[in-house]
Amino acid sequence: MKAKGKVHKYGDNVDTDVIIPARYLNTSVPAELAEHCMEDIDKSFVENVKPGDIMVAHNNFGCGSSREHAPIAIKAAGISCVIAATFARIFYRNAINIGLPIMECREAAEKIENGDEVEVDFDSGVITNVTKGESYQAEPFPEFIKEIINKGGLLNSLK
Amino acid sequence: MGMTMTQKILAAHAGLDSVKAGQLIRAKLDMVLGNDVTTPVAINEFKANGFDKIFDKDKISIVLDHFTPNKDIKSAEHCKQCREFACAMDVTNFYDVGEMGVEHALLPEKGLVAPGEAIIGADSHTCTYGAVGAFSTGVGSTDMAAGMASGEAWFKVPAALKFNLIGKPQKWVCGKDIILHIIGMIGVDGALYKSMEFSGEGLKYLSMDDRLCMANMAIEAGGKNGIFEVDEITKDYLKDRVNRPYTVYTADADAEYEKVYDIDLSQIKMTVAFPHLPENTKTIDEVGEVKIDQCVIGSCTNGRIEDLRSAAKVLKGKHVAKGIRALIIPATQKIYAQAMHEGLFDIFLDAGCVISTPTCGPCLGGHMGILAKGERAVSTSNRNFVGRMGHPESEVYLASPAVAAASAIKGYIASPEEV
């Protein structure tokens, strides 16, 4: 499985309150959440994002609240993969559980710039920066987590 | 190699003799928690995947606290969905308006969490229950749904940081100052994926309300959980609350810690976290003049009785500055009644504060005290992210109840020694 798209780049500690502000948590409809994704730090994100685009950030992406609305909003906005140097742990779980692909790769987080065209190979963990002609190797998922993903998410894996 | 408190609890719940950091395990759960924001998503997932039974009606808690009393029609629909689900599944620990409180104040108060138990909650501040010696961590709604269906969750066994507390805190310094000091020191990802284990002779100076506040903010350092060694203070707190047997786990002498911090409580000053991260801390003498518009005293971090007593001690016989809105939010019905009976309400009302029913409300910018563009609040809550309490260009300063109360009187961030 692969993803390919244009990069929306952010910094350290992108928290769940900016991914989806709590004032919009009176809904759990993915499309409604997506309309407000990232708006407190990047008003243009919702206008500019195209299906398949990729989000890249530095350390501790998704810190703060446990709201699953955060990865749901990102996924519903059309993002095909989030790459970060590190993820906050609840966001990491939630992304896996709802099927939003994520990749931990410090080198990619450092070298990829806003607007770069990037391709991600989920099986090999290779991230290719088409714009810069570089590639980076992400940490592969542990087998245990691969199994959850392969079974179509956490709840499917319980059946 | 020995195990930490967290590792022992996880091993016991996974049916294993021992576990080590990094190991992926499946553990049995003693409690699964959700609120009115996260439970609806969990219910949808639960039903969409064809589940129709919960694993144990006594081991699920649903607390309607975030946007209650219902702030708008959509929130009312969410609460209705939770109510109907709780009724259909016969959930024992369902708390609606009139019985509810801010979840992380309510569950310990009701004795629903005990030492040695394993708890997940679809709320990041579920780490609060480490104060009673439980393993307790925040998860998302899908984990909550899976927990309700199976009574289990998967975990990566965390490595640990040890905080060896020594010395006696100075006057006015409370759990909030200590945890803000620690977050300022290690950063908002300083404990990422790790457990924060608190022990040492200084524990004897920390009340349960101090410990609940400190464990509550473990997530603000990125921690998976915060956990306190169980002592006589813990047992005394649990005495009239928990009737079921529980197990007290202590760390092995040769338990492995990635780092051990000696924290001299006597050296910690009152501490304030500046926008927009809890790690942006300054001691009260470094703050300078920061004018405020609003003061919030409440939340799962600092809405307990000792917090209200501390604020009342500062506010007694004084009045909040002209133009300052001071909101007092007792975290549970019981705390509300206790504060009223102790005469704290008279002090707050005479000082020009308003007193709210229990709610998470303003802490997450939900309702009951939203900030306009450019406004500033000093708040006893746990997060000061961009837009956390309202407009993206508003600001939140995190502080203890005593500092928040003093700030309300002065109109700028102030020490209780100044009023």
Side-chain angles (χ1 to χ4, degrees):
Chain A
M1 207 174 87
K2 284 185 179 178
K4 189 175 182 180
K6 212 177 85 169
V7 165
H8 302 259
K9 179 87 189 272
Y10 299 98
D12 285 331
N13 304 315
V14 173
D15 62 74
T16 53
D17 276 278
V18 297
I19 296 172
I20 182 70
R23 58 186 178 276
Y24 303 119
L25 297 185
N26 57 2
T27 179
S28 50
V29 179
E32 288 179 27
L33 294 169
E35 284 171 25
H36 302 289
C37 189
M38 310 300 284
E39 72 174 30
D40 283 0
I41 54 163
D42 182 4
K43 279 202 166 35
S44 65
F45 171 75
V46 173
E47 289 164 33
N48 295 341
V49 68
K50 294 195 174 57
D53 279 1
I54 289 166
M55 198 177 269
V56 180
H58 289 277
N59 289 307
N60 204 22
F61 184 89
C63 62
S65 155
S66 68
R67 62 190 69 155
E68 210 157 282
H69 312 65
I72 291 172
I74 290 173
K75 193 179 175 190
I79 291 292
S80 62
C81 179
V82 183
I83 300 166
T86 58
F87 288 91
R89 56 159 288 277
I90 305 178
F91 185 93
Y92 183 93
R93 285 183 86 93
N94 287 348
I96 290 163
N97 287 344
I98 68 148
L100 170 68
I102 55 171
M103 289 269 166
E104 256 182 357
C105 182
R106 183 165 296 280
E107 191 187 6
E110 280 166 7
K111 291 188 174 164
I112 294 173
E113 291 180 89
N114 195 40
D116 283 358
E117 185 82 10
V118 163
E119 189 174 87
V120 181
D121 184 325
F122 296 116
D123 299 320
S124 65
V126 173
I127 299 165
T128 308
N129 188 333
V130 180
T131 307
K132 289 197 164 60
E134 297 173 341
S135 65
Y136 327 104
Q137 179 67 51
E139 291 288 322
F141 283 120
E143 283 304 319
F144 188 93
I145 290 172
K146 270 188 196 160
E147 207 178 300
I148 294 176
I149 295 168
N150 292 341
K151 283 186 178 164
L154 182 64
L155 287 164
N156 271 316
S157 74
L158 290 181
K159 286 181 191 168
Chain B
M1 183 54 72
M3 290 189 285
T4 65
M5 289 185 272
T6 296
Q7 289 162 358
K8 283 189 176 179
I9 297 172
L10 287 174
H13 285 78
L16 300 168
D17 291 334
S18 71
V19 294
K20 56 179 198 289
Q23 189 175 344
L24 286 150
I25 56 159
R26 226 166 230 302
K28 293 206 178 308
L29 300 169
D30 298 299
M31 184 57 75
V32 177
L33 164 72
N35 59 50
D36 53 309
V37 168
T38 56
T39 306
V41 180
I43 295 170
N44 293 343
E45 288 290 311
F46 185 87
K47 290 187 173 167
N49 284 278
F51 294 104
D52 57 5
K53 277 203 297 284
I54 54 175
F55 84 105
D56 187 333
K57 73 186 186 73
D58 296 330
K59 292 186 176 175
I60 291 169
S61 291
I62 298 175
V63 185
L64 308 185
D65 60 356
H66 273 56
F67 295 161
T68 51
N70 303 334
K71 76 168 179 133
D72 55 23
I73 295 169
K74 285 179 171 178
S75 305
E77 296 292 345
H78 275 170
C79 287
K80 189 176 170 208
Q81 188 187 2
C82 294
R83 201 172 288 124
E84 287 172 354
F85 178 82
C87 182
M89 297 289 160
D90 196 21
V91 172
T92 313
N93 303 302
F94 170 67
Y95 298 102
D96 206 336
V97 171
E99 294 180 303
M100 58 68 98
V102 176
E103 53 196 327
H104 309 308
L106 190 70
L107 266 63
E109 179 185 284
K110 291 202 171 288
L112 295 173
V113 294
E117 293 186 341
I119 300 146
I120 61 166
D123 187 280
S124 59
H125 293 108
T126 303
C127 51
T128 307
Y129 316 136
V132 300
F135 167 78
S136 188
T137 192
V139 296
S141 297
T142 299
D143 276 312
M144 181 193 178
M148 289 197 298
S150 67
E152 293 184 355
W154 66 268
F155 297 108
K156 186 162 91 175
V157 176
L161 302 177
K162 182 174 176 176
F163 296 87
N164 180 37
L165 309 177
I166 50 173
K168 183 181 178 182
Q170 296 172 32
K171 189 183 177 192
W172 296 116
V173 171
C174 64
K176 184 61 161 288
D177 301 294
I178 300 166
I179 194 66
L180 285 176
H181 168 81
I182 289 172
I183 296 166
M185 186 174 72
I186 68 173
V188 291
D189 59 356
L192 197 61
Y193 300 112
K194 300 183 181 88
S195 64
M196 298 171 75
E197 313 233 338
F198 298 94
S199 57
E201 56 92 9
L203 274 186
K204 64 175 178 284
Y205 302 111
L206 299 178
S207 68
M208 284 311 295
D209 285 4
D210 284 323
R211 300 177 194 192
L212 288 159
C213 166
M214 288 173 65
N216 174 271
M217 287 190 75
I219 181 68
E220 308 315 330
K224 186 186 196 100
N225 66 315
I227 188 165
F228 280 75
E229 211 169 77
V230 172
D231 63 5
E232 289 310 310
I233 295 173
T234 327
K235 288 178 185 162
D236 192 50
Y237 176 85
L238 296 168
K239 204 169 51 195
D240 300 322
R241 293 183 162 87
V242 177
N243 298 319
R244 61 191 178 283
Y246 58 77
T247 312
V248 173
Y249 292 92
T250 48
D252 289 324
D254 61 346
E256 195 177 6
Y257 300 98
E258 278 197 3
K259 203 159 181 186
V260 178
Y261 295 90
D262 287 320
I263 307 285
D264 185 351
L265 302 179
S266 72
Q267 296 301 307
I268 293 176
K269 295 178 180 173
M270 286 178 270
T271 301
V272 178
F274 276 48
H276 291 284
L277 285 174
E279 70 182 21
N280 295 336
T281 54
K282 293 187 186 200
T283 54
I284 193 74
D285 49 327
E286 299 169 341
V287 164
E289 188 167 318
V290 179
K291 289 203 162 106
I292 59 161
D293 302 283
Q294 177 165 290
C295 157
V296 177
I297 297 173
S299 83
C300 59
T301 314
N302 282 126
R304 298 184 183 83
I305 192 66
E306 281 183 13
D307 301 316
L308 302 185
R309 284 180 192 145
S310 171
K313 198 167 157 188
V314 178
L315 286 160
K316 189 170 186 180
K318 305 280 196 324
H319 202 278
V320 302
K322 185 82 181 156
I324 305 297
R325 298 144 1 220
L327 318 178
I328 310 283
I329 314 177
T332 67
Q333 292 284 98
K334 192 174 173 187
I335 295 166
Y336 192 100
Q338 199 174 351
M340 189 173 68
H341 292 138
E342 289 182 15
L344 308 187
F345 279 16
D346 290 330
I347 295 170
F348 295 141
L349 293 170
D350 289 345
C353 304
V354 294
I355 303 162
S356 161
T357 181
T359 182
C360 303
C363 167
L364 76 162
H367 64 154
M368 295 296 290
I370 303 304
L371 299 174
K373 183 176 177 176
E375 286 191 327
R376 285 185 184 141
V378 60
S379 175
T380 67
S381 52
N382 41 52
R383 288 197 178 122
N384 54 355
F385 298 154
V386 170
R388 177 74 180 177
M389 199 175 276
H391 195 280
E393 287 173 48
S394 63
E395 293 182 344
V396 177
Y397 295 73
L398 305 175
S400 70
V403 168
S407 307
I409 295 165
K410 288 292 192 183
Y412 54 84
I413 297 178
S415 161
E417 293 292 331
E418 289 178 54
V419 300

